[in-house]
Amino acid sequence: MTTPTTLLILGASGDLTSRLLLPAIAQLLKRQPDRALVLHGAGSDDWSDERWQEAVRTAFATVDATDQISRIAGTSYVKADVTDRDALAALIEGVEGSLVIYFALPPAVAEMACEKLVDIPLPEGTVLALEKPFGSDEKSAAALNALVTRIVPENQVFRVDHFLGRSTILNIMGVRFANRLVEPVWSADHVQSVLVRYDESLALENRARYYDKAGALVDMIQSHLLQVLAILAMEQPADLDEIDLRDAMAAALRATRILGDDPVASTRRARYTSGTSDDRPVPSYSDEEGVDPARGTETLAEITCEVDTARWAGVPFTLRSGKALGERCAEIVVTFRPVRHIPGGLTGMPTDGGVLRFSLGPDRIELELNVNGGDDPFALRRDVLSTGLGKGTLLAYTEVLSEILDGDVALSVRGDAAEQCWRIIQPALDAWRSGAVPMQEYPAGSTGPEKWATSQR
Ligand code: NDP
């Protein structure tokens, strides 16, 4: 058995804990028979230990791991206001061995709890796990970084981005760096455009309290999709560790900006109106419970960026994400430039030189190639080599928790990278707030506004 780590979840009666963290803890225990874990929850709801244990049992059952419950037999729940210094100190007092504090709290509350933590003694090596959104703009993210690093050093801060726990995203690195077929052509000399797309068919699903203040740009692009861009665009790190990998990703983000520094020409936003999605009637976003239509929150966002390096100059990177779309589509599409010349005799010069596509859920890699053959052996057509990547057995949060408990921050978002992600989207936020980019509409269940052919502005 390893030395026990105490995992203290603040906000333990909330949605993230019950839906994502507890099932991940269950899966982790199942996968790691030697893992010794002490689990405590705290939150403002007046839960008894029994109510908490019921929540734990329910979550463990969702991943078929009820047999693991005995391994966290001492788990308990404390009603506490974690913005109260003494209440917070009491939760930490007496913890033996290493400690992980997981902030499953609304962002403003997490920040207040951090302010109180500054002068509370913590066990050596304490790790802080913070959820998105990290700050609300570049300045507030910088202030939060300064605050957090007064509590523990940067290499004990885990800013969670569960996309970085998804094997398909990490797979990009293997495909990029380990294939002679791919590695030499991973640059503007050969790549025409890159699209990172995360379209959901789900609508708001009662998440107005959070989502109406965030919108698609902050909820998905500022965090997850820019991390994907960083992995696609970074230079090859010497090692995939917390220094080299995160240096490479941060450098790529530092070089990234909205194309032409022109948010009016290079960004689009839209909001769903009533329709049918996932076979269910969906009301207009403005009529969803808890939404304040005056806020003008977008449910579909698209920004096109450029990465200002020798490798990527001139290549548009488009990031797009939305809700209540007809088809769930999560993919990374790398389109190669057309070849310079094809021999006379071959007909149908293609508009591109092939496409490499990573699809998420189900996870697949596809290579679209221009081929000839069939009835007319000299006519070019398109064919797809496609392979499933197998259904990953681990939840993204299981990967994330495993890294947090091991104190391995390589796949957590470093403070400066979090600030860069806000810097990149800020011109879009400003232009959207000022009304310079019109809000378009699309019926729920459609492919988006009529004018938006996926890759044409
Ligand atoms: P919830 O509102 O469901 O949960 C937050 C919890 O914190 C609630 O139980 C709340 O109690 C509790 N809380 C609030 N104030 C205090 C306080 N002063 N002291 C103690 N407990 C308090 O939010 P989520 O679980 O959805 O989100 C938590 C974080 O995770 C957010 O940063 C969110 O952005 C992030 N996240 C969430 C995801 C999700 O799918 N839910 C996905 C990815 C990230 P009460 O209800 O009584 O106020």
Side-chain angles (χ1 to χ4, degrees):
M1 277 281 170
T2 53
T3 328
T5 301
T6 298
L7 173 59
L8 171 62
I9 303 180
L10 308 179
S13 51
D15 181 64
L16 178 81
T17 306
S18 59
R19 230 167 31 83
L20 299 174
L21 293 183
L22 291 176
I25 292 167
Q27 222 185 30
L28 187 79
L29 291 172
K30 207 167 156 180
R31 286 272 298 207
Q32 300 179 355
D34 288 336
R35 168 78 65 188
L37 188 68
V38 177
L39 174 66
H40 293 305
S44 49
D45 286 309
D46 196 7
W47 278 15
S48 61
D49 269 352
E50 288 69 37
R51 173 73 186 78
W52 167 245
Q53 276 150 16
E54 176 56 33
V56 170
R57 256 196 309 279
T58 308
F60 275 47
T62 61
V63 288
D64 197 16
T66 35
D67 57 335
Q68 302 297 321
I69 292 176
S70 57
R71 293 188 40 207
I72 46 161
T75 186
S76 65
Y77 176 90
V78 177
K79 177 181 180 330
D81 175 359
V82 301
T83 64
D84 177 285
R85 188 209 169 275
D86 295 342
L88 193 54
L91 293 171
I92 292 158
E93 209 178 325
V95 167
E96 284 174 15
S98 48
L99 172 65
V100 171
I101 304 178
Y102 203 116
F103 295 77
L105 295 163
V109 180
E111 194 170 335
M112 283 189 270
C114 285
E115 280 161 10
K116 301 296 166 3
L117 267 183
V118 169
D119 64 353
I120 295 176
L122 296 173
E124 188 70 28
T126 295
V127 171
L128 307 183
L130 291 144
E131 272 292 342
K132 70 164 196 184
F134 192 82
S136 53
D137 54 22
E138 189 182 359
K139 204 166 140 212
S140 63
L144 190 52
N145 278 332
L147 172 63
V148 164
T149 46
R150 282 171 64 206
I151 307 169
V152 296
E154 172 65 33
N155 64 3
Q156 290 165 225
V157 182
F158 202 106
R159 293 174 197 78
V160 175
D161 190 313
H162 71 273
F163 260 52
L164 295 176
R166 294 182 77 142
S167 53
T168 317
I169 300 296
L170 301 177
N171 232 322
I172 296 169
M173 292 191 259
V175 172
R176 250 195 86 174
F177 297 129
N179 291 289
R180 181 61 75 114
L181 204 62
V182 179
E183 198 276 335
V185 295
W186 206 254
S187 71
D189 290 342
H190 305 279
V191 172
Q192 181 167 276
S193 65
V194 178
L195 169 69
V196 181
R197 174 176 180 185
Y198 197 89
D199 286 357
E200 295 179 87
S201 53
L202 288 177
L204 192 56
E205 306 287 309
N206 301 321
R207 288 187 65 215
R209 190 161 73 150
Y210 158 72
Y211 191 86
D212 197 40
K213 291 197 187 101
L217 178 58
V218 165
D219 182 44
M220 289 303 300
I221 295 179
Q222 186 274 337
S223 48
H224 310 307
L225 302 196
L226 278 169
Q227 295 304 313
V228 177
L229 176 147
I231 288 179
L232 290 164
M234 70 183 177
E235 294 303 312
Q236 184 171 146
D239 208 321
L240 298 184
D241 65 7
E242 70 175 72
I243 296 172
D244 292 344
L245 174 62
R246 299 203 303 175
D247 277 352
M249 288 176 70
L253 290 170
R254 274 198 302 279
T256 300
R257 55 195 163 99
I258 287 178
L259 183 66
D261 282 326
D262 186 349
V264 176
S266 305
T267 73
R268 308 194 273 201
R269 59 177 179 147
R271 182 162 48 186
Y272 64 80
T273 53
S274 61
T276 305
S277 190
D278 272 348
D279 296 327
R280 282 185 290 170
V282 176
S284 267
Y285 179 76
S286 320
D287 296 333
E288 294 264 24
E289 202 184 322
V291 165
D292 175 2
R295 255 198 208 107
T297 304
E298 79 289 350
T299 58
L300 174 61
E302 184 185 280
I303 68 174
T304 301
C305 296
E306 58 191 321
V307 181
D308 202 6
T309 60
R311 180 184 289 275
W312 291 117
V315 178
F317 282 72
T318 298
L319 313 180
R320 158 194 164 123
S321 180
K323 281 191 179 296
L325 289 155
E327 205 181 311
R328 188 190 171 280
C329 177
E331 61 180 13
I332 295 148
V333 185
V334 180
T335 303
F336 291 90
R337 294 187 189 283
V339 291
R340 280 189 205 101
H341 179 260
I342 54 170
L346 276 180
T347 57
M349 174 72 171
T351 54
D352 63 58
V355 164
L356 177 62
R357 184 188 309 270
F358 300 84
S359 298
L360 287 91
D363 294 352
R364 305 193 71 74
I365 294 188
E366 290 179 353
L367 193 55
E368 278 182 35
L369 294 174
N370 301 311
V371 297
N372 60 325
D375 287 344
D376 179 351
F378 297 108
L380 288 167
R381 60 182 171 81
R382 198 72 151 195
D383 237 332
V384 183
L385 296 177
S386 176
T387 181
L389 292 171
K391 199 172 172 329
T393 52
L394 290 190
L395 303 165
Y397 265 86
T398 307
E399 301 273 14
V400 165
L401 264 179
S402 170
E403 286 151 15
I404 293 172
L405 293 172
D406 289 341
D408 177 1
V409 294
L411 292 173
S412 94
V413 179
R414 203 168 63 189
D416 57 328
E419 290 171 35
Q420 287 301 318
C421 292
W422 284 113
R423 188 219 14 102
I424 294 164
I425 68 154
Q426 193 62 48
L429 286 174
D430 294 342
W432 294 9
R433 271 184 208 130
S434 75
V437 177
M439 177 74 84
Q440 300 182 36
E441 291 187 333
Y442 61 100
S446 69
T447 55
E450 246 169 54
K451 284 195 246 165
W452 297 28
T454 305
S455 54
Q456 287 159 17
R457 191 160 295 287

